[in-house]
Amino acid sequence: MNMKKTLFSALLAVAALTASAQEQSKTEYVFQPNWYIQLQAGAQHTLGEIDFADLVSPTAQVTLGYQFDKVVGARLAVGAWQSKAGSEMKGYKYKWSWNYVAPSIDVTANLSNLFCGYNPKRLVNVGIFAGFGANIAFGNDEAADAEKNMVSTFGQPVMGDDQYTRYLWDGSKARLFGRAGATVDFRISDAVSVGIEVNANTLNDKYNSKKAGNSDWYFNALAGVKINLGKSYTTRTIEAPAPVVVEKVVEKVVEKPVVVEEKREEIRRDIFFTIRATQITLAESTKVKEIGEYLQKYPEATVTVTGHADKGTGNAKINRDLSIKRANVVADALRTQYGIEADRITVEAVGDTVQPYAENDLNRVTICIAK
């Protein structure tokens, strides 16, 4: 009967170790650089002196972009359609519009990935961008007609005074412009998202044919669809080191109680951090708990806590500070949450001088070895 109990206990121990090893493994998303296209349409407001609604016109934009990493990308955006301007004089209102094509090169940044970590399944992504380009304007006949109507109504301006449309231009004109804006994208699938964009564009004072003594501005509000060309991520499974705590059961059968001997062996847990982070996530806290419970069970055991940082991010000083903070936050958790004495904990930090994993991102880690 005692032998059956012993065998049953051994089977339960093996099953528990297997389940623990399975819980340690996790699936991680791996970013892949990728191209995308984007089609958008919306409204433009050209800054001016008449009513806001009178200066709203249609606009559209086609974009070809490339995402270099989880945060930074670049794109070639071509906006086009119509801009408006106007003037109000002694109760008379004059309005005119013209057409334009405006290619630009922008640098983009995904703020959601920067501050919240990479997650290709995230429903909403917020980004910003800035860039420059050339606005090629044409079809300014309505401004010339407005000038003629003003002259017909109010007479020719006196030389030296500001003309009605002092910077009146014809033909086509190319002007450099700078711009910046923000985007919000809503994920539909791995390949498709819909989103909105707002951007502000500034160029020289001659864009709207009127002299104002300051730069001209137009603002776009756009909505559209974004399509990834190819896969933007893959997945991988990270296998953590299997638990090495072994309980050996020895039974003596001479009408005596079962005697159990325990052999203490070292245990290792790797606590992973996200980029630039020094706080333990909920998922990784279970590993700290296992170290704490091991030290509670074996009062003679000690633990070495070694902080690391990945070499692909930051510099040597920043990575040294990160590794110190990552080691200290684990040591503090063992002391405060599990009552482990400070003299049983050795804290080390090696910055990015030691890279325990071949995969760069996995080196954002604190390695705990208790024995």
Side-chain angles (χ1 to χ4, degrees):
M1 186 67 177
N2 289 334
M3 183 61 71
K4 290 182 178 179
K5 289 183 178 180
T6 302
L7 292 174
F8 183 68
S9 299
L11 289 173
L12 287 178
V14 172
L17 289 174
T18 303
S20 177
Q22 290 174 345
E23 290 174 359
Q24 294 296 323
S25 64
K26 66 176 183 178
T27 300
E28 184 175 73
Y29 297 115
V30 181
F31 171 83
Q32 285 195 182
N34 62 289
W35 291 91
Y36 63 87
I37 58 173
Q38 195 168 21
L39 305 174
Q40 299 166 293
Q44 178 183 113
H45 172 71
T46 313
L47 195 63
E49 295 78 27
I50 61 175
D51 294 341
F52 181 94
D54 291 329
L55 297 176
V56 174
S57 56
T59 188
Q61 183 170 274
V62 178
T63 301
L64 175 65
Y66 187 77
Q67 195 68 30
F68 294 101
D69 62 24
K70 303 168 187 177
V71 175
V72 179
R75 68 180 195 176
L76 170 63
V78 180
W81 208 327
Q82 189 181 82
S83 292
K84 288 186 176 182
S87 182
E88 190 166 1
M89 302 176 61
K90 299 180 181 180
Y92 290 87
K93 184 184 291 186
Y94 300 90
K95 297 182 291 183
W96 58 92
S97 63
W98 63 99
N99 301 110
Y100 73 94
V101 175
S104 68
I105 297 175
D106 302 325
V107 176
T108 65
N110 187 315
L111 300 184
S112 298
N113 285 343
L114 176 63
F115 294 109
C116 302
Y118 178 63
N119 180 6
K121 301 294 186 179
R122 183 181 289 116
L123 178 62
V124 180
N125 282 282
V126 178
I128 57 174
F129 63 88
F132 66 94
N135 182 294
I136 305 166
F138 55 93
N140 201 32
D141 296 339
E142 291 183 9
D145 293 340
E147 170 80 4
K148 293 177 183 178
N149 290 334
M150 292 180 200
V151 171
S152 174
T153 303
F154 301 105
Q156 186 70 35
V158 177
M159 185 63 67
D161 291 343
D162 287 345
Q163 279 81 5
Y164 307 121
T165 53
R166 186 166 184 176
Y167 288 152
L168 180 65
W169 53 270
D170 60 6
S172 61
K173 299 291 182 181
R175 302 176 177 90
L176 293 177
F177 71 95
R179 71 180 197 152
T183 60
V184 180
D185 291 320
F186 301 88
R187 179 181 179 276
I188 303 299
S189 67
D190 287 347
V192 179
S193 61
V194 296
I196 57 176
E197 173 182 325
V198 292
N199 59 61
N201 305 264
T202 181
L203 61 173
N204 69 34
D205 190 24
K206 298 183 179 181
Y207 185 59
N208 64 3
S209 299
K210 297 174 59 180
K211 180 180 179 181
N214 51 257
S215 298
D216 287 338
W217 290 80
Y218 62 87
F219 306 89
N220 294 325
L222 300 156
V225 61
K226 179 179 178 181
I227 302 172
N228 290 328
L229 304 178
K231 297 189 68 173
S232 61
Y233 72 94
T234 58
T235 58
R236 67 180 173 199
T237 300
I238 301 174
E239 298 290 347
V244 294
V245 178
V246 178
E247 294 185 355
K248 184 181 289 185
V249 181
V250 178
E251 181 183 29
K252 287 187 179 181
V253 183
V254 186
E255 295 183 357
K256 291 184 179 180
V258 175
V259 177
V260 178
E261 290 184 0
E262 292 186 353
K263 181 180 179 182
R264 187 178 81 240
E265 297 188 19
E266 74 176 32
I267 177 174
R268 167 175 167 165
R269 293 291 181 269
D270 293 3
I271 293 92
F272 296 99
F273 295 80
T274 57
I275 186 169
R276 300 185 183 89
T278 58
Q279 297 300 315
I280 302 170
T281 64
L282 180 61
E284 298 299 296
S285 64
T286 58
K287 301 177 185 178
V288 180
K289 179 181 178 183
E290 291 174 354
I291 293 291
E293 291 176 346
Y294 178 93
L295 295 171
Q296 289 173 340
K297 183 174 181 179
Y298 301 107
E300 304 82 16
T302 61
V303 64
T304 299
V305 179
T306 307
H308 296 261
D310 70 286
K311 205 163 188 175
T313 306
N315 55 45
K317 182 180 183 307
I318 291 173
N319 291 338
R320 172 71 179 172
D321 293 340
L322 280 173
S323 67
I324 292 172
K325 292 177 181 178
R326 287 168 178 167
N328 284 333
V329 74
V330 174
D332 289 343
L334 292 172
R335 287 192 293 267
T336 59
Q337 297 178 28
Y338 302 98
I340 308 305
E341 298 83 358
D343 59 359
R344 297 175 63 192
I345 305 172
T346 300
V347 178
E348 298 176 352
V350 296
D352 59 15
T353 61
V354 178
Q355 301 285 276
Y357 285 91
E359 179 65 31
N360 179 72
D361 291 0
L362 297 182
N363 293 308
R364 304 162 188 153
V365 66
T366 292
I367 298 177
C368 301
I369 301 177
K371 56 185 178 180

